[in-house]
DNA sequence: TCAAAAGTGTTTGACTTACACCCATGA
DNA sequence: TCATGGGTGTAAGTCAAACACTTTTGA
């Protein structure tokens, strides 16, 4: 796992050499399930988008910049995941973030350029460290869906209850009971009907939107709004 | 918040200068509640223990080394918390860990040397960034007690149900119903009676021990046992 | 009128909470 | 015998899971 990255930064600290990188794992949901965007690097295979910290930039800013560069647009949600280290001749420290993309953002990305989302399940060869980060991110995303509302960032601004349910089912990879799901979601008051209906060739579904931001999200990330990462 | 740390590492990456440090937040519980160990640095006030990554060492190893140096002994539990960055002239990146100390470890530390634990509530002046890390660690520790078993690492190897309950109450800072607490804990099967009783000047309490390690802990930390951080 | 997805209630078991008294021991 | 903390059960309420049919629309 350690030919050097083309653009990784050589860093020296009191004679200790290491690389510090920030890596972003961009998730999106499509019909077939949970997907990830990977960069196709020069020769052998795909890599997750990553880059180096620049002057005067915090980690969050850096992750946002990397995400935007890789996706051509800003992600809908970005959160620090974990900091990994890889012990090699030169120690690599990688601060990983995961990004969520709404259906709209996702299709904008696909239109802008040929970037490809791959299903998390059947992903091709990935370097060991990228694979480890991806596996962990997937695990955490699934868990997080249970106790927070980040799931909404994977949908368009207006969505039907069935679409919401499909997202949940994709991420946790399990079928849910429709009635129980609707009851539970509505009981939390986290979404609100927007009046309109989506017209289809069957019975039209009510559209909803995400009602305000979830306080629980902030609580799981340090010191909201203090200019730091 | 940024006169330079005496021992922080100057690091240069493609002309970008930053410091990378690892910081450990050591928690323990005493009669008065949740406590933290801080180092009394030279002039103005206390700091959390921290240090630099050394050659050939992963982040977890580094945190373990820093913890052991600061505590004079290994902590009972150590987990990565978050990676902070502070935007100053020289960007500081700080990978924070929290450490849990059992009552035994704690008193060994107090005997070995004069290190002082301070109550989390009435803590004196602390640099802004240390304060932020401490606040976040406390928040996460409280939350984590709800869905994992790390609470056991704050107790001696053998403990009574009342002692366990006191730890929970200290950490979450709220009284619990004795009968419900006991029922719930015993129902999980996570502790087992060890037969013996603790003799006191009142009715002796049964002693318990933590029964095997909690699978839920591993699930919240990446890739268990693969030699990486 | 058919196909396709939207929408809707009830029952059951499990879990959570609130609550008060007797027990065993050493001093 | 007293003071101190250890130990116990029950009833009420809340929450989660299982389960199947009717409705609305466009084609």
């Amino acid at each position: 796992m350690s030919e050097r990255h083309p653009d990784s930064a050589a860093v020296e600290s009191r004679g200790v050499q290491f690389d510090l990188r920030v890596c972003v794992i961009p998730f999106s949901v499509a019909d077939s399930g949970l997907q990830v965007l990977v960069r196709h690097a020069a020769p052998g295979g795909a890599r997750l988008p990553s880059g180096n910290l620049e002057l005067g930039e915090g980690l969050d800013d850096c992750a946002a910049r990397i995400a935007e560069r890789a996706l051509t647009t800003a992600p809908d949600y970005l959160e620090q995941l974990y900091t990994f280290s890889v012990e090699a001749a030169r120690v690599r420290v990688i601060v990983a973030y995961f990004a969520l993309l709404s259906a709209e953002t996702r299709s904008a990305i696909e239109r802008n350029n040929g970037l490809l989302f791959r299903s998390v399940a059947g992903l091709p060869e990935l370097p060991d460290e990228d694979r480890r980060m991806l596996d962990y991110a997937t695990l955490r995303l699934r868990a997080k869906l249970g106790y927070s509302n980040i799931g909404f960032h994977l949908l368009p601004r207006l969505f039907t209850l069935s679409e919401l349910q499909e997202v949940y089912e994709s991420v946790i990879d399990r079928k849910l009971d429709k009635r129980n799901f609707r009851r539970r979601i509505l009981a939390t008051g986290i979404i609100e009907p927007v009046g309109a209906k989506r017209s289809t060739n069957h019975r039209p579904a009510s559209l909803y939107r995400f009602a305000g931001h979830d306080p629980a999200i902030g609580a799981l990330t340090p010191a909201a709004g203090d200019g730091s990462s």
Side-chain angles (χ1 to χ4, degrees), chain A:
Chain A
M1 72 181 70
S2 261
E3 72 292 14
R4 297 266 277 96
H5 246 222
D7 58 343
S8 82
V11 161
E12 163 142 359
S13 151
R14 309 181 137 197
V16 179
Q17 288 207 318
F18 57 91
D19 296 340
L20 175 63
R21 294 181 66 71
V22 173
C23 171
V24 172
I25 306 167
F27 286 108
S28 138
V29 167
D31 19 76
S32 42
L34 188 61
Q35 303 195 324
V36 179
L37 186 137
V38 292
R39 266 194 343 204
H40 279 274
R47 301 209 97 137
L48 295 167
S50 68
N52 294 307
L53 202 55
E54 290 189 352
L55 189 63
E57 156 183 88
L59 289 168
D60 288 355
D61 302 328
C62 176
R65 181 174 52 76
I66 290 167
E68 188 151 352
R69 198 186 54 200
L71 305 170
T72 69
T73 180
D76 296 282
Y77 182 77
L78 193 57
E79 180 183 321
Q80 188 185 306
L81 176 65
Y82 197 77
T83 301
F84 297 85
S85 61
V86 182
E87 298 175 48
R90 175 190 300 274
V91 176
R92 297 163 56 74
V93 174
I94 307 172
V95 183
Y97 280 73
F98 67 89
L100 302 185
L101 309 178
S102 72
E104 286 139 349
T105 307
R106 177 208 164 89
S107 51
I109 291 169
E110 285 174 321
R111 250 179 286 111
N112 285 345
N113 47 35
L115 291 178
L116 215 63
F117 288 86
R118 315 294 295 272
S119 164
V120 164
L123 206 63
E125 283 304 297
L126 215 53
D128 278 5
E129 65 192 62
D130 290 38
R131 162 65 58 188
R132 222 170 71 229
M133 293 191 282
L134 175 59
D135 286 348
Y136 183 54
T138 308
L139 185 75
R140 284 285 298 275
L141 182 58
R142 282 191 224 285
K144 198 142 188 167
L145 216 58
Y147 61 83
S148 83
N149 302 318
I150 48 171
F152 296 97
H153 297 287
L154 293 165
L155 284 168
R157 204 178 63 82
L158 298 181
F159 52 86
T160 68
L161 282 173
S162 296
E163 288 165 348
L164 179 58
Q165 183 173 350
E166 280 159 19
V167 166
Y168 272 72
E169 291 176 341
S170 289
V171 177
I172 66 178
D173 198 22
R174 181 162 56 88
K175 287 286 172 204
L176 298 172
D177 180 85
K178 183 161 55 160
R179 282 167 291 188
N180 293 336
F181 179 79
R182 296 162 96 90
R183 188 187 9 261
R184 202 148 20 87
I185 291 286
L186 291 173
T188 66
I190 188 183
I191 62 177
E192 55 193 23
V194 75
K197 305 260 176 192
R198 165 159 306 166
S199 82
T200 56
N201 68 335
H202 55 75
R203 177 172 177 172
S206 303
L207 291 170
Y208 291 81
R209 78 169 145 233
F210 183 28
H213 286 279
D214 181 15
I217 292 177
L220 292 160
T221 276
D226 64 349
S228 68
S229 314

